[in-house]
């Protein structure tokens, strides 16, 4: 892709805690703020995000909304009726957190179920792969997904010396590469471009982010990851798409788990034994 973005503006994060950032972005902190503090800066940043979103609308693809992100197998299995009932409760949620152990069959089944069309239409699949290869993620969907697929795209976040192998997936795939998992702004812009290209296309667009746990492991600055997710969830919603984000809670402490969970419309928690609950 052409590298036509300007460098992101710097954001001073020196003293604001992640929990403070949640309050500021949600606009529900009742404490008085000192204008000279970073906490106030983050609050102003959140207001700026909302203003820009209202001004740009869902069709903008310039990449400006990402300026705040600085660059410092098993066969088809049907889910049990109880699980299906829980999934039905997610309704039309735009952004779902899928919280549980990685690389277990129930995770793969839930992933494919959440990527399926809610209206029985052909589905447009967008996958963001942080550490897995495109073929690894797409083979899971191929094994489990029963819907007809209209379009498929993968944002492949990797080092360029990583071996690429797509032939295991049966179908045309649009691969968009990002050279580093630390380049959150680029990940966001590339994802937004796909969503923009697909707006108005027949069928539903569903997005799989695999995984938030890997992204956090590869980015020490959790506030920057939080800002990235804040913008991404809004972009998914404005595009009329549905997204789910894989998340292994064993990799974070309880405070950070609650912080990131607050970003999502719905949290589906599952265990390796297949039990699932709606938080």
């Amino acid at each position: 892709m052409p590298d036509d973005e300007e460098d992101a503006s710097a954001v001073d994060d020196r003293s604001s805690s992640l929990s403070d950032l949640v309050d500021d972005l949600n606009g529900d902190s009742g404490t008085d703020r000192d204008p000279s503090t970073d906490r106030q800066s983050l609050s102003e940043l959140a207001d700026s995000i909302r203003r820009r979103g209202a001004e740009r609308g869902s069709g903008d693809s310039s990449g400006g909304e990402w300026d705040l992100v600085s660059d410092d197998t098993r066969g088809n299995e049907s889910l049990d009726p109880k699980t299906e009932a829980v999934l039905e409760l997610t309704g039309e949620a735009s952004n779902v957190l899928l919280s549980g152990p990685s690389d277990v069959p129930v995770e793969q089944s839930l992933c494919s179920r959440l990527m399926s069309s809610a209206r029985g239409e052909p589905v447009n699949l967008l996958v963001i792969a942080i550490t897995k290869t495109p073929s690894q993620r797409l083979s899971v969907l191929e094994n489990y997904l029963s819907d007809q697929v209209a379009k498929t795209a993968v944002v492949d976040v990797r080092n360029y010396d990583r071996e690429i192998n797509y032939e295991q997936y049966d179908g045309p795939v649009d691969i968009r590469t990002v050279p580093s998992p630390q380049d959150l702004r680029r990940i966001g812009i590339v994802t937004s471009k796909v969503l923009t290209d697909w707006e108005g296309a027949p069928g539903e667009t569903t997005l799989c982010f695999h995984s938030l746990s890997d992204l956090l492991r590869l980015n020490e600055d959790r506030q920057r990851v939080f800002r990235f997710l804040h913008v991404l969830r809004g972009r998914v919603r404005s595009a009329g798409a549905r997204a789910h984000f894989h998340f292994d809670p064993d990799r974070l402490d309880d405070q950070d788990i609650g912080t990131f969970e607050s970003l999502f419309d719905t949290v589906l928690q599952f265990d390796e034994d297949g039990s699932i609950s709606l938080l």
Side-chain angles (χ1 to χ4, degrees):
M1 291 183 60
D3 189 6
D4 58 353
E5 302 86 11
E6 297 178 358
D7 290 337
S9 58
V11 179
D12 188 356
D13 297 330
R14 289 170 299 184
S15 63
S16 179
S17 69
L18 193 57
S19 59
D20 288 339
L21 180 56
V22 179
D23 292 337
D24 288 330
L25 289 176
N26 289 334
D28 58 4
S29 176
T31 60
D32 294 333
R33 297 191 176 108
D34 182 347
S36 66
T37 64
D38 294 318
R39 182 174 182 177
Q40 177 66 19
S41 298
L42 292 170
S43 179
E44 292 172 352
L45 175 62
D47 290 339
S48 175
I49 295 169
R50 298 187 187 99
R51 286 196 300 272
R52 272 185 276 173
E55 292 168 359
R56 294 179 187 279
S58 62
D60 177 72
S61 59
S62 66
E65 63 193 326
W66 295 101
D67 285 348
L68 84 164
V69 183
S70 59
D71 291 325
D72 307 318
T73 67
R74 292 163 62 176
N76 294 329
E77 291 183 356
S78 59
L79 297 173
D80 63 82
K82 180 180 178 181
T83 298
E84 289 288 356
V86 171
L87 286 169
E88 288 296 326
L89 293 176
T90 64
E92 295 298 319
S94 298
N95 296 281
V96 175
L97 186 66
L98 194 56
S99 179
S102 302
D103 300 322
V104 296
V106 63
E107 180 199 33
Q108 297 172 350
S109 294
L110 289 170
C111 172
S112 295
R113 174 64 172 77
L114 290 168
M115 291 290 274
S116 299
S117 170
R119 299 188 291 268
E121 302 173 341
V123 66
N124 303 311
L125 305 178
L126 174 55
V127 177
I128 303 175
I130 302 299
T131 57
K132 301 289 187 180
T133 65
S135 61
Q136 287 174 318
R137 292 309 307 155
L138 292 173
S139 65
V140 170
L141 294 176
E142 187 175 50
N143 287 337
Y144 284 83
L145 189 66
S146 59
D147 286 6
Q148 182 180 354
V149 176
K151 298 177 181 291
T152 305
V154 179
V155 179
D156 183 17
V157 183
R158 61 183 178 86
N159 295 315
Y160 279 106
D161 59 354
R162 195 171 86 184
E163 181 181 356
I164 309 174
N165 180 12
Y166 308 133
E167 61 267 17
Q168 296 178 19
Y169 184 72
D170 182 17
V173 182
D174 179 10
I175 303 294
R176 315 240 180 152
T177 55
V178 176
S180 168
Q182 286 79 43
D183 195 349
L184 301 181
R185 185 170 182 264
R186 168 67 71 175
I187 297 171
I189 290 172
V190 172
T191 302
S192 290
K193 182 63 167 59
V194 176
L195 291 172
T196 298
D197 290 347
W198 288 0
E199 285 186 33
E204 286 187 84
T205 293
T206 58
L207 183 154
C208 167
F209 193 106
H210 196 285
S211 71
L212 175 54
S213 305
D214 290 329
L215 190 70
L216 287 165
R217 177 173 56 83
L218 296 167
N219 286 271
E220 294 183 359
D221 189 344
R222 290 179 178 174
Q223 291 190 17
R224 195 160 67 93
V225 175
F226 188 94
R227 291 197 302 274
F228 164 78
L229 292 171
H230 175 74
V231 179
L232 180 58
R233 68 172 184 175
R235 187 66 190 91
V236 168
R237 186 178 295 112
S238 67
R242 291 186 294 111
H244 73 274
F245 297 73
H246 292 256
F247 179 68
D248 188 342
D250 289 340
R251 302 185 187 182
L252 288 180
D253 59 42
D254 291 342
Q255 181 176 355
D256 284 348
I257 290 172
T259 296
F260 281 98
E261 285 181 348
S262 71
L263 278 167
F264 298 90
D265 303 322
T266 300
V267 179
L268 288 176
Q269 188 176 71
F270 65 91
D271 295 323
E272 188 171 357
D273 63 7
S275 61
I276 180 172
S277 58
L278 184 66
L279 301 185

